[in-house]
Amino acid sequence: MAYYIILFVITAVLAWSYDGNTKVPKITFFSFCLSIGLFVGLADMLGGYDRYIYCEVFQDMHENVTKGAFFSEEFLRFFGKEPVYGLINDFIALFTPNRYIFILVYTLALYVVYAINFYRYTKNPFFALLIFEGLMFFFTFTYLRQVLAAGVIWLSIPYVTQRKFKKYILFVILATLIHNSAAYMILLYFIPRRKFEKSNIILFMLILLLIGISGVTKFIFSISGEVIDDTKIAGYANTAEFRFRIEYVIESALFLFILLTNYKKIGEDEYSLTMVNVYLMFCGLLLFFCKSSDGGRIAWYCLLGIIVVLERLCRPKSAVPLKGFITIMCFVLFYRILVAWGVLLYPYKTFLTPGVRQGDFIEEGYEYDHSYDNDKFYNL
């Protein structure tokens, strides 16, 4: 557990070392992001069973690619609805069947995308990274497709501001072909870019919460899955009645409180209003999917709005109390996942050492190739 806390503390120190008036050197920030990517990418199958599933499919892809079959029957079965992610698998599989190299290369590419986004949209990208660590960092160990799709969507936000629909829709399509859940982000383009009344925002959020409590999201998943013939999306209907996620409601209410108490500081230019819309979408999605186990994941596409708006609000020297509060809040969120996931994350082990972790029930249940047990590079 200590490694993770040290990582967060270093990020926090760097976030507080810079402000909106000091330009962060690009090489410094990108190097730090890649260091985090190494930390995640070198991990020996940490994060849960998803890594085993992704890696087993990757090795199957290598067998087909070496035979010259890039769009094999297996490719269509696994990636028929998300072919861009499948092509990424194929590209890496051209060079190696080793699952650890696959995870490492993929993760480093993912963190380059994140670094580009945080550096582009904020003056203190380390503070952006701090918020990211509190809300999404641990999921980059396991949900490979969706975290990349979110990064691609973030790259497209300026096209909403610039009213370049064709460019925006291309990015949405690209992200959707990595993970189908990104499709709903087309809605962002059609949300009016204006400063809504606080009372209207509160009323709309309450309506979304009531709809979420009603359980209607179960039918939305079911119908969506049937319309596009996607059993995976239809399967989300089974988790849409998981239980009432009070943590989603608390998180959404907290972010709404921060926004509305600082609402007069929000600019009325197109860019600021677009980011506020993304911010509000994040809060609204958590309320709308308050009974779904997948609500947080669905909202990741809008996390950039939270990051950009909060980073802007914390730039002035007068905002030190708010910056401190957000830092503590992010640590609480970070620590909550760290404790809840337990053996899925620690003891931390890289694939640079042989053997497996004792007591890892995920490895015991999902390991498909025990040749890796003693030689992580046997098929390099």
Side-chain angles (χ1 to χ4, degrees):
M1 181 184 290
Y3 294 114
Y4 300 97
I5 294 177
I6 291 171
L7 174 63
F8 185 90
V9 170
I10 293 173
T11 306
V13 170
L14 289 169
W16 280 80
S17 299
Y18 293 93
D19 55 36
N21 299 316
T22 307
K23 182 65 174 177
V24 177
K26 184 179 291 187
I27 186 66
T28 301
F29 181 68
F30 275 71
S31 296
F32 187 69
C33 281
L34 286 175
S35 297
I36 297 177
L38 279 174
F39 181 82
V40 177
L42 288 173
D44 188 2
M45 306 304 280
L46 302 185
Y49 68 89
D50 291 72
R51 274 206 181 192
Y52 286 96
I53 295 172
Y54 287 131
C55 289
E56 186 172 8
V57 170
F58 168 75
Q59 288 188 208
D60 287 343
M61 291 303 100
H62 171 76
E63 294 179 8
N64 290 307
V65 168
T66 53
K67 299 174 183 176
F70 285 86
F71 296 95
S72 62
E73 182 179 340
E74 288 82 1
F75 182 98
L76 296 176
R77 183 169 74 251
F78 292 127
F79 309 121
K81 299 290 193 305
E82 294 159 340
V84 171
Y85 175 74
L87 288 173
I88 294 172
N89 275 249
D90 278 357
F91 176 76
I92 300 175
L94 277 172
F95 303 97
T96 179
N98 187 277
R99 72 188 187 190
Y100 294 108
I101 301 303
F102 163 62
I103 291 291
L104 179 60
V105 171
Y106 187 95
T107 304
L108 288 175
L110 171 69
Y111 274 86
V112 167
V113 173
Y114 287 169
I116 291 171
N117 280 301
F118 298 154
Y119 197 84
R120 172 187 293 177
Y121 297 121
T122 63
K123 290 188 177 180
N124 184 355
F126 285 114
F127 194 71
L129 197 59
L130 182 78
I131 300 170
F132 164 80
E133 287 180 3
L135 292 169
M136 192 176 170
F137 165 69
F138 287 116
F139 301 102
T140 63
F141 281 86
T142 182
Y143 297 116
L144 301 186
R145 291 172 301 136
Q146 204 162 3
V147 292
L148 179 59
V152 171
I153 287 291
W154 298 348
L155 291 170
S156 71
I157 302 301
Y159 299 125
V160 177
T161 302
Q162 298 163 14
R163 311 310 297 153
K164 295 181 179 179
F165 181 74
K166 291 182 179 179
K167 291 185 177 180
Y168 180 65
I169 193 65
L170 284 176
F171 274 88
V172 173
I173 291 172
L174 177 63
T176 301
L177 295 180
I178 296 172
H179 197 283
N180 292 160
S181 62
Y184 80 85
M185 284 302 293
I186 189 63
L187 298 175
L188 174 64
Y189 193 88
F190 301 101
I191 299 176
R193 283 156 304 288
R194 62 185 180 86
K195 208 166 184 179
F196 301 102
E197 294 292 331
K198 291 183 182 180
S199 57
N200 291 336
I201 292 175
I202 294 171
L203 178 60
F204 187 68
M205 292 297 169
L206 287 174
I207 291 173
L208 289 176
L209 176 59
L210 291 174
I211 294 174
I213 293 174
S214 73
V216 72
T217 51
K218 177 178 181 179
F219 299 100
I220 292 176
F221 282 131
S222 180
I223 293 172
S224 299
E226 291 178 4
V227 168
I228 65 174
D229 190 27
D230 193 321
T231 56
K232 180 180 63 183
I233 291 179
Y236 287 155
N238 298 324
T239 60
E241 291 291 311
F242 176 68
R243 61 177 172 83
F244 181 68
R245 302 294 297 269
I246 185 63
E247 62 269 30
Y248 285 177
V249 178
I250 293 173
E251 189 175 314
S252 178
L254 190 57
F255 284 128
L256 284 171
F257 176 78
I258 293 172
L259 176 68
L260 296 179
T261 54
N262 294 277
Y263 205 46
K264 63 181 179 180
K265 301 175 183 177
I266 302 297
E268 297 192 32
D269 57 284
E270 289 286 313
Y271 177 79
S272 296
L273 295 177
T274 298
M275 283 301 178
V276 169
N277 282 347
V278 182
Y279 188 112
L280 292 173
M281 281 183 70
F282 181 89
C283 298
L285 285 164
L286 289 182
L287 297 175
F288 188 71
F289 292 103
C290 65
K291 293 181 72 176
S292 171
S293 64
D294 300 298
R297 292 168 57 187
I298 294 170
W300 288 342
Y301 301 101
C302 304
L303 181 59
L304 185 70
I306 300 290
I307 291 172
V308 170
V309 172
L310 292 184
E311 188 271 341
R312 279 192 163 195
L313 291 175
C314 290
R315 284 179 195 170
K317 292 183 178 180
S318 60
V320 168
L322 176 61
K323 190 174 181 180
F325 174 77
I326 291 173
T327 300
I328 294 171
M329 177 187 67
C330 287
F331 178 75
V332 171
L333 293 170
F334 181 91
Y335 189 73
R336 178 178 68 89
I337 297 296
L338 186 57
V339 171
W341 282 23
V343 72
L344 302 183
L345 292 170
Y346 51 85
Y348 178 82
K349 177 185 179 301
T350 72
F351 65 73
L352 300 177
T353 57
V356 298
R357 300 181 307 154
Q358 295 300 313
D360 185 352
F361 63 91
I362 297 296
E363 185 273 336
E364 293 172 1
Y366 290 94
E367 180 57 74
Y368 57 90
D369 187 348
H370 286 284
S371 297
Y372 283 115
D373 290 356
N374 297 312
D375 184 0
K376 305 297 183 181
F377 304 104
Y378 85 94
N379 62 347
L380 189 59

